């Protein structure tokens, strides 16, 4: 059964708006960052990673964002272009903003953390007047990411992008991607996540992220059904709620819930799992696959990324994911 | 024909959220403020004035707002109470915020201006967690006012109030009341006014205010029909667009437009005209009157206020408005 | 004995730098401000009041400050000019700053308080580049006031003015005039008050103000001698420490201390006492009078102001002070 | 001739206050940073580098500063301790501030630049109440660094440290180290640099830095003599003005000027030259050497650092500098 219908005759498959930053990944891992002496630079940011993933799968993609007027910003724009992503709506800041940074600490495959630099970052300075209506008019899908709602004017830029997407019939995907920094209060988080989610067709997030959105509501047992039902009263067709190791569940408007098996992986670190899952899942849905197959494709995509050192650079191709699934099915991959 | 149906069995008729401030009205008028030596203190703020008006008409009212912890704040709370307005949801700021001030300058009856003090004001510090869902649950009408959207956390408090009003079935009125100060950019104005207006049943504003909301849209001829039609696609039942001296027009979902005659007045100043018009009009609509009769009642109410020195203090009773209309009809009042 | 020598052949007698604001004095007094309905507007701000006083005594004066580009600012500039004060270095703000306000509450002659509006005020936006070296070069005395040190760029403007005054040989007077609002921390108060006081010839303040400056020092018994001795190690010639009702003491570099009798007054309110005292005292010192006579003149000047409704408007002339002293000596004035 | 007398019977030789940060040095050099993929982490910040240098020379040192409560902050504290620097007055921030970062770009040995992260940095949050008077009481020398004057409360912490140093007789060294970021205006730079310099015994800076301090002064020909003479009227004994490739000149109160020859070096990058020069020069002066010998020792120290990849890690020992000088004198080192 098809839960979402994508518009025909659009030039682009996928456009994302939001965070563009730099990951500085520890080279010496399995230790605290105090003991890491060298770092490797990658493009980062959840919507950037997803877009890179979609591009690797062969889709036509573009990005809406803002970069610093410095070496880091230029590196990001260049990397996106080299990955086939249209950057005509990637605007350069002229106010002296910096590029957001994420230093990763990998103490063990399951004990990972991030040291963030998010003060005065360029990506949060994207303004609504800089969002191209023409670009959004020609895409099948617009993906928004929660971190872009954290501050003005990026917050307003996202709402304006939603307005354009509604007007031109794009399917809207909301990757909740909540990060505590840069938000003024938890109350703001709840208010703006809810205002945005009302307009979205597909919503993906963890149980904890949905809990945070229900700050002013009544769902004492943190019921997925209560959560999903709320959004079906608005625009949502699919609500995916992730329960960590217990797996993800896709709820649909018809009252059904959908699960997929997960695959084994030789885990290096956990970063990037959600982004590669989202890319794989959305790719499947856009191909008209069942939700179960789409979710499995997302899981395999995530396994590949968490077995690697980077996030963006490790985003797999269709062939890589297909091959990974086959090898798992043949029992060639066992968990670390 | 009835355009809006108000819920039954609600304890309260009317609740407003937003600005509470102090007007300091020039005593020596018809001169520049430089030459005014004394000022008289009144309660002010558009939603406060409208609520006072509704209370004078005999409706059961309450206010949601925030006051400074000082003599000005206490004066405001006391004045509202003396006017029969429930102030249980008027919260006192504890951060050292001040009461907003509006010094009025009356150079002539048609040349009036305001000197505003809006830095660090208490009313913009109302937070979403301070808005009482229980209060909104028991009112027929919630009125929001655009100035409360100008800054966080008041902005989020208004969106949370809208959420509660939707949930509990209150009729929502949006008095655009745009004031340029305290807004960061014109783009923010457009984004948040539109997000709020989507959820409102009755929208009142000037042509200029609607133009400002259409910053990212296409309405090159500033057509009222185009403007009103947009909101009928969302929740609106009535859209009133004010054209200054040329009068106001009420647009309704059925495609009709409605006008009322205006009354003569001996004008002292123009301040408060919009607030008293809104109170009179909404009172009429809530009584089930035709839009034409409601608009006429609003106009007469406005005439009374602009013939007086104050805004809030001059808000008339039902008898005063009725009497004014009768006297106009008998030709006893002629324009100044 | 002469403690301070003033430079000859200077065009101006007295220049002050700092706060210019508006006092809104309660007309209905002896009650809480909640019950005051009308207010009268006066020019205010400690250094403004002192300069007005000096001008009334017949000295040639000028002011260095910044006013808002509004009716309040223009009223201030006009009032200073009408009082014979050179306003060529009173700059108009162009950033949308407002005029500082002080609403006075007079519950009783001894229970007075002030409700201050000090957010985004023009007077604190005076920048060092706007201070006229040429003006300071031609004055005998420069008076600085502590409130102007509370924020940048006014803080730096004062330090630049001190630099010019040192360079051109002006006698520098520091009126501590500490007000808690607008300062970020008590530590900042201590640091900048001390940095400024090092460069001053005459320092006037209350015991509490000097205590606040000694935050990082050791003076456990709050000894005036310890306090004064510190400043004699820098530039000070006279240090006046005010002990409220117990009177003021002038300490001098020779180790002496000086007191003067006080006069009776029919007190209306306490505001403005310090400013009129400073004006009277400095006038006396500039005439070459003994410190005792100068202090008595200051006291009588203060008595006149606290018997009146305003501060600035009530600043007396030489004849009025002389007459007041004579009437006191004849026993014609008895305390209220 | 001895120009500065250092106090006897002090436990510590050298204490610095100010910036502590992280340098992220490009591993792949001689290219734009866009093409650098990995970075190596070092402790950085001019006063930190100088203190490390002094400690390597065998002096007893301590640091006054503030670090972020994160992995970067802990790395810094640990590195200082491992280098024998007392960190009892290195305070940990609890407000969520970050560690300042400096990414270095080395396009060629003579074309180097820095990409700075200075928003919300811990080092600028040191407050005056956190500065230990007891620590300053027991040092022969206090070094202050201009970047610590850029913002509150670090600015006030430096002035409070100066007050303690004056009180307890420490020799005060001012390393101008001007960096444009984080300062609000060039006017602030001039005002606070001058206020601090008034209290200092030894002042080191480039001609451009002194020019910036003379914004409100008259030195149209940028004369070193005019510049130095100003500071000899205050506390200064030695003023070193650096003229880039043309070498440095030390001016002394007796009207003399002093120069030293420079040494050849195989330059990798220019970063750190000033810090190692300062350490070497100050070490010499503290040993009672002539200014010429001290300056030569500073130059050789700088040569060693600019021949290396890092700044802090490359700070040489006494033996290394002595050996470098000997090798130069034997003609074994030739310029790159």
């Amino acid at each position: 059964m098809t839960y979402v219908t994508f518009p025909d005759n659009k030039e682009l498959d996928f456009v994302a708006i939001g965070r563009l930053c730099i990951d500085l990944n520890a080279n010496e891992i399995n230790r605290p960052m105090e003991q890491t002496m060298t770092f490797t630079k990658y493009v980062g940011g959840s919507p950037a990673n997803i877009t890179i993933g979609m591009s690797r799968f062969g889709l036509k993609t573009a990005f809406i964002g803002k970069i610093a007027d410095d070496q880091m910003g230029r590196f990001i724009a260049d990397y996106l272009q080299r990955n086939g992503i249209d950057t005509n709506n990637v605007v350069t800041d002229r106010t002296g903003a910096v590029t957001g940074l994420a230093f990763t600490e990998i103490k063990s495959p399951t004990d990972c953390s991030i040291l963030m630099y998010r003060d005065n970052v360029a990506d949060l300075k994207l303004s609504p007047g800089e969002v191209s209506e023409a670009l959004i008019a020609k895409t099948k899908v617009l993906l928004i990411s929660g971190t872009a709602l954290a501050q003005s004017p990026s917050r307003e830029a996202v709402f304006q992008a939603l307005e354009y997407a509604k007007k031109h019939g794009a399917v809207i995907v909301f990757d909740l991607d909540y990060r505590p920094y840069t938000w003024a209060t938890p109350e703001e988080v709840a208010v703006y996540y809810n205002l945005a989610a009302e307009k979205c067709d597909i919503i993906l997030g963890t149980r904890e992220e949905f809990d945070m959105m229900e700050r002013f509501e009544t769902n004492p047992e943190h019921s997925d059904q209560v959560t999903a039902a709320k959004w079906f009263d608005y625009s949502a067709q699919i609500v995916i709620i992730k329960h960590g190791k217990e797996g993800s569940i896709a709820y649909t408007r018809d009252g059904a819930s959908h699960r997929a098996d997960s695959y084994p992986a030789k885990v290096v670190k956990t970063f990037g799992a959600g982004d590669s899952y989202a890319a794989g899942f959305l790719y499947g849905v856009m191909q008209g696959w069942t939700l179960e197959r789409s979710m499995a494709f997302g899981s395999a995509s995530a396994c590949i990324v968490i077995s690697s050192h980077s996030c963006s650079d490790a985003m797999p191709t269709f062939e890589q994911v297909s091959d990974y699934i086959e090898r798992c099915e043949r029992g060639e991959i066992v968990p670390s």
Side-chain angles (χ1 to χ4, degrees), chain A:
Chain A
M1 180 180 169
T2 302
Y3 290 99
V4 182
T5 307
F6 295 88
D8 280 338
N9 51 44
K10 296 276 188 181
E11 273 181 54
L12 292 169
D13 297 304
F14 183 88
V15 172
I17 181 170
R19 188 156 53 113
L20 288 170
C21 70
I22 290 285
D23 289 348
L24 284 158
N25 286 5
N27 290 331
E28 302 81 31
I29 64 172
N30 296 318
R31 69 191 68 183
M33 197 192 297
E34 286 88 333
Q35 296 167 28
T36 293
M37 294 310 291
T38 68
F39 298 88
T40 299
K41 178 180 80 171
Y42 297 100
V43 167
S46 181
N49 290 340
I50 297 173
T51 309
I52 291 164
M54 294 305 253
S55 193
R56 296 254 167 88
F57 291 142
L59 300 190
K60 289 189 178 162
T61 62
F63 203 87
I64 305 172
K66 200 163 202 172
I67 52 174
D69 185 16
D70 62 18
Q71 297 96 329
M72 298 299 191
R74 288 186 288 274
F75 170 73
I76 291 170
D78 182 60
Y79 186 87
L80 296 182
Q81 287 156 16
R82 282 189 280 124
N83 277 273
I85 299 165
D86 177 339
T87 60
N88 281 306
N89 206 176
V90 174
V91 185
T92 300
D93 170 77
R94 302 292 177 200
T95 70
V98 296
T99 305
L101 303 178
F103 288 90
T104 60
E105 175 181 61
I106 303 173
K107 290 189 183 169
S108 77
T110 55
D111 186 3
C112 302
S113 66
I114 299 179
L115 177 61
M116 276 280 182
Y117 279 73
R118 292 293 292 162
D119 290 290
N120 192 28
V121 291
D123 62 81
L124 290 174
K125 298 199 184 293
L126 183 72
S127 72
E130 291 169 334
V131 174
S132 166
E133 178 172 2
L135 181 68
I136 294 176
K138 61 184 181 187
T139 186
K140 290 181 184 166
V141 173
L142 175 74
L143 177 134
I144 67 165
S145 173
T147 48
L149 291 167
Q151 278 185 1
S152 293
S154 166
R155 179 183 290 164
E156 292 84 43
V158 172
F159 282 113
Q160 194 56 40
L162 287 173
E163 173 76 13
Y164 292 143
K166 279 291 196 201
K167 178 175 171 187
H168 296 287
V171 169
I172 306 173
V173 181
F174 189 178
D175 178 27
L176 299 186
D177 188 35
Y178 169 69
R179 312 275 173 149
Y181 22 78
T182 65
W183 285 94
T185 63
E187 297 191 338
E188 276 197 13
V189 179
V191 167
Y192 292 112
Y193 266 80
N194 281 305
L195 275 176
E198 289 179 11
K199 297 172 183 289
C200 296
D201 301 283
I202 301 175
I203 308 175
L204 301 94
T206 65
R207 182 64 247 171
E208 294 71 28
E209 289 171 331
F210 283 104
D211 287 348
M212 185 203 61
M213 293 170 70
E214 293 173 356
R215 182 182 184 85
F216 296 112
E217 284 162 61
T218 314
N219 185 4
E221 298 179 8
H222 306 288
S223 151
D224 280 7
Q225 277 75 16
V226 170
T227 296
K230 171 175 175 179
W231 300 115
F232 297 140
D233 283 346
Y234 289 98
S235 307
Q237 307 294 334
I238 304 173
V239 175
I240 294 196
I241 304 181
K242 305 179 198 173
H243 290 267
K245 294 187 175 175
E246 292 154 54
S248 302
I249 308 169
Y251 297 87
T252 45
R253 232 174 220 252
D254 56 2
S257 63
H258 314 254
R259 281 175 173 278
D261 293 336
S262 62
Y263 298 101
K266 296 201 181 297
V267 183
V268 171
K269 44 76 181 150
T270 52
F271 308 123
D275 301 339
S276 46
Y277 179 89
F281 171 74
L282 292 171
Y283 176 76
V285 172
M286 290 185 77
Q287 304 311 305
W289 299 349
T290 64
L291 293 191
E292 285 74 9
R293 183 177 170 200
S294 301
M295 293 167 86
F297 195 78
S299 294
S301 180
C303 286
I304 293 172
V305 167
I306 62 179
S307 314
S308 313
H309 185 250
S310 84
C311 297
S312 52
D313 245 29
M315 286 283 162
T317 61
F318 175 82
E319 292 69 27
Q320 287 172 312
V321 180
S322 303
D323 179 61
Y324 192 89
I325 291 173
E326 283 169 27
R327 288 168 61 210
C328 287
E329 286 170 353
R330 289 197 302 265
E332 292 174 16
I333 297 176
V334 290
S336 60

